[in-house]
Amino acid sequence: ASHPVARWARVNIATRLIGPLTRLSAVRSAIFALFSQTWIGYPRSPAVAHEHIRRGGPRPGERAPFGRFTFTHERASVFDVCGGVRHHLLLFEGPTPDPHSSSRRHLLESLLAQYAVEITIHDVPAAEPTLHARYGARAPRVWLIRPDGHLAYSGAPGDIDGLRAYLDRIYVRQAPVSDHKDGRPALS
C-alpha cells in the first residue's frame, strides 16, 4: 500500500508481530496448511471412484492420511512407502490375521498387470492397527493412492469387478502378449 499510514503500520507494527505470532503452534499449523495445500481434495472429480458414504476413514478424492508403519516397512511413513511418480495400492489385511491375504494379493496382482499404468501393492498386515484405524479398515480393504498423494479408489480386496470397473474407466489396458513369432497379438 502506498498510503503513508499503511506503510508506517507495515514497517512498525507488522514486523514486530510476525516473530511472536509465528511462535504459536496454531499459527505455524495454519501457515503450513496454507502453503502445503494438504487441504485440497477432489471428492467430485471424475478421476476418483465414488463410493457409498461409509463411516470412518477417508473417502476417495481426499488426501491420503499420514501414518507410520509400526512393525513393517522399517517404520516408514505411508508417504515414504508410497512416494514417487507411481500409483500405489495399500492392501489392508483387516484387524485380525487373514488366511486369504496371499490369494487376494495374487488376484490383485493379476488384475493390475493388465493395465499400462504401474501400480505397486503394499501389504498392511493386521499387526498395523494404527494404520487400519487411520484408513477406516475395519475389514480387509484396498486403497489406491495416486502419485499426487490423493486417494483414487477404495473397496474390498475381493471386489475385483469394482476395481476393474474403476481401472477400465480411467486407465488403458496393455496390449495382449503375442504368442506368434511375427509379433501379432494372440487371438482369444
Side-chain angles (χ1 to χ4, degrees):
S2 59
H3 192 277
V5 174
R7 191 173 31 244
W8 179 87
R10 187 174 59 242
V11 169
N12 294 300
I13 296 174
T15 55
R16 288 189 175 102
L17 288 176
I18 288 175
L21 284 175
T22 57
R23 288 188 199 107
L24 298 173
S25 177
V27 172
R28 282 196 318 267
S29 294
I31 291 169
F32 174 79
L34 175 67
F35 288 105
S36 67
Q37 300 182 353
T38 55
W39 48 271
I40 293 175
Y42 306 96
R44 292 179 183 81
S45 168
V48 299
H50 301 285
E51 67 175 351
H52 300 291
I53 296 175
R54 36 182 219 97
R55 294 181 319 190
R59 292 189 180 104
E62 294 178 358
R63 188 148 179 95
F66 178 82
R68 288 202 173 276
F69 288 89
T70 307
F71 301 103
T72 58
H73 297 288
E74 299 177 2
R75 302 177 61 90
S77 77
V78 169
F79 296 120
D80 291 334
V81 172
C82 298
V85 296
R86 293 185 177 148
H87 289 71
H88 298 271
L89 190 80
L90 295 178
L91 174 54
F92 287 87
E93 182 177 30
T96 57
D98 184 0
H100 304 291
S101 290
S102 61
S103 61
R104 285 188 180 120
R105 183 185 175 95
H106 179 71
L107 285 172
L108 290 166
E109 287 171 341
S110 297
L111 173 66
L112 297 177
Q114 298 174 24
Y115 295 88
V117 63
E118 189 171 345
I119 301 174
T120 305
I121 299 176
H122 305 281
D123 294 310
V124 184
E128 300 288 357
T130 304
L131 281 178
H132 278 74
R134 280 279 213 181
Y135 282 79
R138 293 182 293 278
R141 190 150 199 88
V142 295
W143 281 102
L144 179 61
I145 301 177
R146 298 186 330 206
D148 66 357
H150 285 81
L151 300 167
Y153 174 87
S154 173
D159 184 11
I160 296 296
D161 292 335
L163 180 56
R164 180 183 294 114
Y166 170 75
L167 294 171
D168 282 343
R169 188 168 54 87
I170 303 295
Y171 302 108
V172 176
R173 287 190 186 225
Q174 296 189 52
V177 178
S178 172
D179 288 338
H180 300 281
K181 292 179 184 176
D182 63 1
R184 290 181 297 141
L187 298 175
S188 317

